[in-house]
Amino acid sequence: MTLLRTLSAVAVTTVVASTLFGTAAMAAPLAVTSVSASDATPERVVLTPPQDPSTSQSFTWRTGGDVTDGTVWIREVGATTWRTAAAYANEPLMTGSFATRTHSATVDQLTPGTEYEYQVGTDAAKSATYRFTTAGTPGDPFTFIYFGDAQNDIAAKWSPVVDQAYERYPDAVGTVNAGDLINNSDRDSEWTEWFGAMDGYSQTTNVIAAPGNHEYSGDEFLKVWKSNFEYDANGPQWDGNEGTTDAQKQEAAYRQQMQIALDETAYYTDYQGVRFISLNASRSQAIALMTPDVLPPCLIGCPNPTELWLQVQAEWLDSILANNPNQWAVAVFHQPVFSTATGRDEADVRAAWLPVFQRNDIDLVLMGHDHTYARGYVNEDATATPGVTTGPVYAVSVSGPKYYDQQPEDNNVWTQNGATQVTRAGYTSTFQGITVSGNTLRYESIVAAKWGTGDEESTTDVPIGGTLDAFTITKYSDGSKYVTEDGVAIPGPGAGPGPVDPGTPTTPEEPAGTPAKVDLGFQKIGELASALSGPSALDETKGILWVSDKASGSVGRVNGVDIGTGDIVGTFDVGGPVIDLSFDASLSGIVAAYSTGSGTAANGYSTAAGSLGEPLLDDPIVLPYSITGIGIDSGSGIVYFSLSVGVILAIDAEEGEIVGQYPVGAGVGRMRVDPATGNLYVLFTGQSSSELRILAGRSGMTQLGTYTLDAGAAGVSVDPKAGLAIVGHTAGGFTAVDVLAGTATRFADAAFGSGVTSVSTHAGQGVVYVTTPTGVIVVGREQAPRITSSPSRAAIESTATTELSASAWAVPAADVQWQLRAPGTSEWIDLDGENTTDLTVSGLATGVQYRADFTNEIGGERYSTVSATATVWSTAPDAAPQPITPTSANKGSGITATVTGGVITVNVDRSWNGLWVGAYVHSDPVFAGWHVVTDGTFALPVPAGLTGNHRVALHDANGDILGWVQVSIPTAGGSAAPGPQALASTGSSMEGILALAALLLLGGATVVIARRRRANA
């Protein structure tokens, strides 16, 4: 089927009947099941898991709205006495002609792995008696069922799927649901069908569910969802920081509200060794839910609420994965990180959450939304063995009868973003049975139905009831993990690092530095070839600049230029010379206004994989007056049109109706909308000058600022993070408007181009793409280095190496210098020659910290920013080195020793801290074990029976001799004394520092000399 939406021609004075870039209105709600508001009979009984379902259980049921009392009766099976727990009454909701209400209770102090029976209701109206079993011991086997979208024809076509799933997995402890349980949340009849399909299962097994976009349909505050399901409030928490600037105060208000909004949609439960995590991936649908009643004012540089929504959850997700006490972790949410349906790409979800999943090596990520099936992995997790990968598994599925077209197999969101689909199927309903047992997780996807016909016939030959997809994840105690396809031998334990020696000293990690502020200035930093020179728009997430053709008589060609390589990665035509262009991530596409033979028109066009250039509307928007500019506010769902009659027209993209007509005056033209605030930045052109006006799109088009500029304004773009609006000029260069300072500064350097036709900004980098007739000039705002990635902590074997990496953005580009700090010391040491973004270090020492120092020069001043630190841990060598005879040639320096009470204490330079040292006592060599240098010293026992003068030789983990010292071991009852040839301590030895640096880099294979200096903090 197609994802295209339909739209009738729009007239300025009419209300559009269908939707703009949205879904059409539906029929009236059906009848409900409750009898009256006073009916106390329990219905829709559902179990949901608290944070610890081994000792507690949550219950919810529904009655008429006038019923405020509720009780849970519970006892162990076989017991004779009921225990009671009072339920609280949730907010009543109108259901048809009368109110209904749900009741919820969580019963604690239960016994793990125990079967209970219960009833709910009131003394006068009790439910039937149901049974459930609490979670048992971590590692005990259990199975759960994963459902993608149910959504449509639930009673007729989804209910049989549920029955099949429980027949296939009769011992399943519950279901994990990836959203869109229903199609319209305000239609009680659909919820009746869903609970009807789950009848007999939801009362005896747990329901874990994440909301989808359709849970917001008719219920933008998720009242029905939060009434139906009881989940623990253990999701993201606001830290109470209210901030000082306007932007910080607004962010604090959002974060405080988001804690409330995410309650019962972002949560986790720990079931028998598995941490199940629910996330709320719907962004634009949740705007009303996430917006506080009182929002502090903020003009520019304000938080984008949809981005913050994902960020808040990413921070929480990172924390609960990093501190997960369980062996396994599974996440469920609706919109996928790797889309599978034609025309879809949730790039912002991927950017926010995928790094967290990968960094924490989550096991399963279960998703829905795209009404197809696909399962795969990120390419960096591939191994040399076909059918064996490591790292997270990502799955998208649909269990209901609604299907979407698949993206092409060889060109899709997965392939374009470094991922591989192992198994895929279209027009196929499935359910998944997932069994966790000890160190294995077994996943099976079963074909449940094939409802499509004709062009929508199932793409798989696997019959109904057959296994479409199956694999096993295996984990070993040494830290190795393998994802193995059926038919491939499961690898044995790998050579992964063991636990860190608990005696190794540790220094707390330090965060990345904050870049210094720099006066406003710009530099040309590059060029992009472009045969087109019309309006442009930037997709920041994918790094694609869409440049159009505005030439008279053209077909309105639009080219996608990769800003990293300069390659054209896509092209399509809109039908006529382009007037204005705007990209919107929520559409995965652009909206364009263009000229036709008889006037102007507008449409949206997909930029997603597999559907590039496909119109989002079957018919273009044609207005009675010429369109001179277009913009879209993804936050409010409003599309704005500048019209030649001096009016800005506002149309609700979801409802497809005109919501505002604002007279603004002659000369109104191209525009940009700040997605965080909804403010419009609109250009007005005149003969002798131009004007930029800032209008409050979400507050009745109130004028917030006006700036008079040079004539010939040619396009406007907004860098909200810097608080700037950039306006191009046909005479050359651009004007930077500092919105907070209220100033406009002209940058007309010849290097910034002439004949400018458009400007687009990359807010994340502070880069301006200036389109000219001869190509695109890339201009960077001068910035001190800003850390974009820091090295990650690592644990390796002492003879192994690991790669560290760091990056920073700066204009001009920054130089990099890697530094190390030995454990127990405070001084950072530069590593000479290590001036790239990657560093290879060895495990010869443990507990050594590394960081990268990025520097650049602006206006004669040097700026420096350091990355976060990363400690490299290593395990003790597992074998003694080969002894090497101590000689004058390998004696080394700065080593002393004393012997007291049967213990040899060796003192070395503090720069050796963290080094693994193996000690031999000569002449007849006796190995005295491996030791970690701590605070410039380590101790070893005197080998049994040794007295007199002996040489203690020190080796690194590679077996090389570092030096030796002579000691005098007294006879029993004698006193200890330094060996006669021992050297006095020389304090902080340069030679020792050089030796440590050389050892740690490249495992000693390449000697790198370190220059010692006090590094920038």
Side-chain angles (χ1 to χ4, degrees):
M1 69 180 295
T2 178
L3 292 179
L4 301 182
R5 311 299 192 223
T6 59
L7 177 72
S8 302
V10 181
V12 172
T13 58
T14 65
V15 174
V16 183
S18 58
T19 67
L20 182 65
F21 311 134
T23 53
M26 306 299 290
L30 302 175
V32 300
T33 58
S34 299
V35 175
S36 68
S38 61
D39 187 357
T41 305
E43 61 175 358
R44 299 184 182 178
V45 180
V46 59
L47 299 180
T48 49
Q51 182 171 316
D52 182 3
S54 69
T55 60
S56 55
Q57 180 65 58
S58 294
F59 307 81
T60 300
W61 67 95
R62 191 175 81 159
T63 65
D66 292 344
V67 180
T68 58
D69 295 331
T71 301
V72 176
W73 289 265
I74 186 170
R75 65 187 177 187
E76 289 188 23
V77 171
T80 58
T81 302
W82 290 102
R83 172 186 168 192
T84 61
Y88 67 87
N90 291 300
E91 174 187 356
L93 300 174
M94 287 305 298
T95 306
S97 60
F98 60 90
T100 59
R101 181 196 303 275
T102 61
H103 307 260
S104 298
T106 298
V107 179
D108 58 10
Q109 299 181 16
L110 303 179
T111 303
T114 301
E115 188 176 19
Y116 287 86
E117 58 185 3
Y118 73 96
Q119 294 176 309
V120 299
T122 64
D123 288 331
K126 291 183 181 180
S127 71
T129 301
Y130 303 107
R131 292 185 176 187
F132 72 93
T133 300
T134 52
T137 303
D140 288 348
F142 73 94
T143 297
F144 65 93
I145 297 167
Y146 152 44
F147 289 129
D149 305 36
Q151 190 171 348
N152 303 94
D153 295 331
I154 296 171
K157 295 183 176 180
W158 187 67
S159 183
V161 174
V162 177
D163 290 338
Q164 286 184 61
Y166 274 94
E167 289 170 6
R168 184 69 169 253
Y169 302 102
D171 296 327
V173 301
T175 61
V176 172
N177 301 264
D180 280 7
L181 281 60
I182 41 73
N183 193 48
N184 297 276
S185 189
D186 60 341
R187 287 191 170 190
D188 191 68
S189 60
E190 295 185 19
W191 285 109
T192 297
E193 291 190 20
W194 190 88
F195 279 100
M198 291 293 291
D199 188 40
Y201 308 120
S202 67
Q203 300 97 331
T204 58
T205 64
N206 275 294
V207 173
I208 296 173
N213 55 298
H214 280 271
E215 270 72 45
Y216 291 87
S217 179
D219 184 21
E220 62 182 358
F221 292 101
L222 286 185
K223 289 186 176 182
V224 177
W225 176 275
K226 296 190 177 193
S227 180
N228 282 338
F229 303 111
E230 176 75 7
Y231 295 113
D232 275 8
N234 55 13
Q237 303 292 308
W238 176 50
D239 63 7
N241 184 356
E242 296 183 345
T244 56
T245 68
D246 287 350
Q248 290 170 345
K249 291 176 181 178
Q250 191 174 95
E251 179 175 337
Y254 271 121
R255 283 180 176 269
Q256 185 176 14
Q257 175 63 26
M258 286 177 184
Q259 175 180 328
I260 300 169
L262 289 167
D263 188 27
E264 296 189 296
T265 66
Y267 60 90
Y268 71 88
T269 178
D270 291 337
Y271 192 97
Q272 220 159 288
V274 180
R275 173 156 288 182
F276 290 95
I277 303 166
S278 168
L279 296 164
N280 189 335
S282 295
R283 290 89 69 206
S284 60
Q285 297 87 351
I287 287 290
L289 183 63
M290 70 177 72
T291 303
D293 292 336
V294 178
L295 188 65
C298 179
L299 180 58
I300 196 170
C302 315
N304 183 321
T306 59
E307 291 179 1
L308 186 61
W309 180 256
L310 296 176
Q311 179 187 334
V312 164
Q313 293 183 78
E315 294 166 354
W316 169 75
L317 175 67
D318 206 8
S319 174
I320 63 171
L321 285 175
N323 298 286
N324 179 17
N326 302 280
Q327 185 176 14
W328 302 94
V330 175
V332 59
F333 52 93
H334 190 59
Q335 291 87 342
V337 291
F338 295 114
S339 297
T340 58
T342 299
R344 286 187 164 175
D345 183 9
E346 313 291 338
D348 54 343
V349 178
R350 182 170 58 254
W353 293 353
L354 182 65
V356 182
F357 293 138
Q358 289 294 123
R359 178 167 60 250
N360 291 282
D361 194 15
I362 196 172
D363 299 302
L364 279 180
V365 180
L366 308 177
M367 302 162 288
H369 189 56
D370 281 356
H371 297 265
T372 70
Y373 181 84
R375 188 267 299 178
Y377 60 90
V378 172
N379 293 344
E380 66 184 24
D381 292 328
T383 71
T385 303
V388 178
T389 61
T390 63
V393 175
Y394 300 90
V396 179
S397 75
V398 56
S399 58
K402 179 181 178 181
Y403 304 133
Y404 287 161
D405 296 338
Q406 291 177 289
Q407 297 173 11
E409 186 169 3
D410 59 350
N411 180 24
N412 53 63
V413 169
W414 296 62
T415 61
Q416 293 177 0
N417 291 279
T420 295
Q421 293 182 5
V422 176
T423 304
R424 53 186 265 136
Y427 312 118
T428 305
S429 303
T430 67
F431 60 86
Q432 288 66 227
I434 301 165
T435 299
V436 182
S437 179
N439 72 330
T440 64
L441 183 152
R442 170 74 176 167
Y443 173 109
E444 296 175 335
S445 179
I446 309 301
V447 175
K450 299 179 179 182
W451 298 108
T453 59
D455 292 339
E456 296 187 355
E457 287 187 359
S458 173
T459 62
T460 179
D461 294 330
V462 177
I464 293 174
T467 301
L468 172 68
D469 187 19
F471 62 87
T472 300
I473 304 177
T474 308
K475 289 184 174 183
Y476 296 108
S477 59
D478 66 358
S480 56
K481 166 183 164 181
Y482 300 103
V483 181
T484 310
E485 303 300 319
D486 269 18
V488 178
I490 296 175
V500 174
D501 176 18
T504 302
T506 180
T507 302
E509 303 288 12
E510 297 176 358
T514 301
K517 292 185 177 181
V518 177
D519 291 339
L520 184 63
F522 292 87
Q523 296 185 19
K524 177 181 176 181
I525 59 175
E527 295 183 8
L528 296 173
S530 176
L532 306 179
S533 58
S536 64
L538 180 66
D539 178 351
E540 284 192 32
T541 302
K542 292 184 178 179
I544 298 176
L545 180 69
W546 296 98
V547 186
S548 65
D549 191 351
K550 68 181 186 69
S552 177
S554 74
V555 295
R557 174 65 49 90
V558 179
N559 286 340
V561 182
D562 186 310
I563 61 175
T565 65
D567 297 335
I568 294 178
V569 295
T571 185
F572 59 91
D573 300 334
V574 302
V578 177
I579 299 166
D580 202 4
L581 199 67
S582 184
F583 175 81
D584 184 72
S586 66
L587 292 178
S588 293
I590 61 172
V591 291
Y594 57 94
S595 298
T596 65
S598 58
T600 60
N603 207 334
Y605 300 87
S606 171
T607 58
S611 59
L612 178 65
E614 289 187 7
L616 299 181
L617 307 176
D618 288 341
D619 298 309
I621 301 168
V622 178
L623 300 173
Y625 304 103
S626 294
I627 303 170
T628 58
I630 190 170
I632 183 167
D633 177 6
S634 58
S636 65
I638 303 298
V639 180
Y640 295 98
F641 299 88
S642 297
L643 302 179
S644 59
V645 290
V647 169
I648 291 178
L649 180 70
I651 296 179
D652 187 309
E654 185 70 22
E655 300 299 328
E657 60 184 29
I658 296 170
V659 294
Q661 300 179 60
Y662 306 98
V664 292
V668 61
R670 290 160 67 181
M671 69 171 74
R672 276 290 188 270
V673 181
D674 180 351
T677 62
N679 293 339
L680 280 64
Y681 291 74
V682 187
L683 291 179
F684 291 77
T685 57
Q687 291 186 346
S688 59
S689 65
S690 302
E691 191 173 85
L692 173 68
R693 295 184 197 170
I694 305 174
L695 305 174
R698 298 176 190 171
S699 300
M701 218 59 73
T702 302
Q703 188 162 302
L704 302 175
T706 302
Y707 300 86
T708 300
L709 311 174
D710 288 354
V716 58
S717 193
V718 184
D719 181 350
K721 293 184 178 179
L724 299 176
I726 306 295
V727 178
H729 294 278
T730 55
F734 54 87
T735 295
V737 176
D738 187 326
V739 176
L740 294 178
T743 60
T745 306
R746 187 79 164 86
F747 293 90
D749 192 300
F752 299 157
S754 60
V756 174
T757 58
S758 184
V759 290
S760 291
T761 57
H762 192 304
Q765 296 180 342
V767 172
V768 183
Y769 294 90
V770 183
T771 305
T772 73
T774 58
V776 178
I777 309 298
V778 185
V779 178
R781 176 170 48 82
E782 292 177 335
Q783 302 164 65
R786 174 174 52 84
I787 305 301
T788 54
S789 69
S790 290
S792 298
R793 300 178 69 177
I796 59 176
E797 291 185 335
S798 57
T799 54
T801 61
T802 188
E803 298 290 328
L804 303 181
S805 63
S807 60
W809 176 259
V811 178
D815 299 323
V816 61
Q817 173 65 64
W818 281 95
Q819 302 171 332
L820 68 76
R821 178 168 65 184
T825 64
S826 59
E827 188 173 21
W828 287 95
I829 302 166
D830 282 354
L831 299 173
D832 279 354
E834 295 303 321
N835 306 115
T836 67
T837 55
D838 298 312
L839 179 72
T840 303
V841 300
S842 81
L844 295 177
T846 186
V848 178
Q849 286 186 326
Y850 298 86
R851 72 180 185 185
D853 183 9
F854 292 88
T855 59
N856 70 348
E857 185 174 317
I858 302 172
E861 185 172 351
R862 198 75 177 165
Y863 294 91
S864 170
T865 313
V866 295
S867 73
T869 62
T871 301
V872 175
W873 305 95
S874 59
T875 56
D878 55 8
Q882 290 296 317
I884 298 174
T885 301
T887 67
S888 59
N890 59 22
K891 188 170 186 178
S893 65
I895 306 171
T896 65
T898 59
V899 182
T900 304
V903 174
I904 302 173
T905 301
V906 180
N907 302 297
V908 295
D909 190 89
R910 285 169 56 87
S911 64
W912 286 39
N913 282 1
L915 197 66
W916 285 110
V917 175
Y920 269 104
V921 181
H922 292 262
S923 294
D924 186 11
V926 177
F927 186 60
W930 289 101
H931 309 272
V932 175
V933 179
T934 303
D935 200 23
T937 188
F938 65 93
L940 55 126
V942 173
L946 285 187
T947 61
N949 293 333
H950 295 273
R951 293 178 177 181
V952 179
L954 311 181
H955 297 252
D956 68 19
N958 284 334
D960 296 326
I961 191 167
L962 302 171
W964 56 270
V965 61
Q966 185 161 313
V967 297
S968 178
I969 302 175
T971 59
S975 60
Q981 298 183 36
L983 297 177
S985 173
T986 58
S988 192
S989 163
M990 175 63 69
E991 184 177 350
I993 293 171
L994 301 182
L996 176 65
L999 286 168
L1000 296 180
L1001 294 171
L1002 303 176
T1006 301
V1007 177
V1008 179
I1009 304 300
R1011 181 179 68 255
R1012 185 180 185 205
R1013 68 171 175 84
R1014 179 72 59 180
N1016 293 327

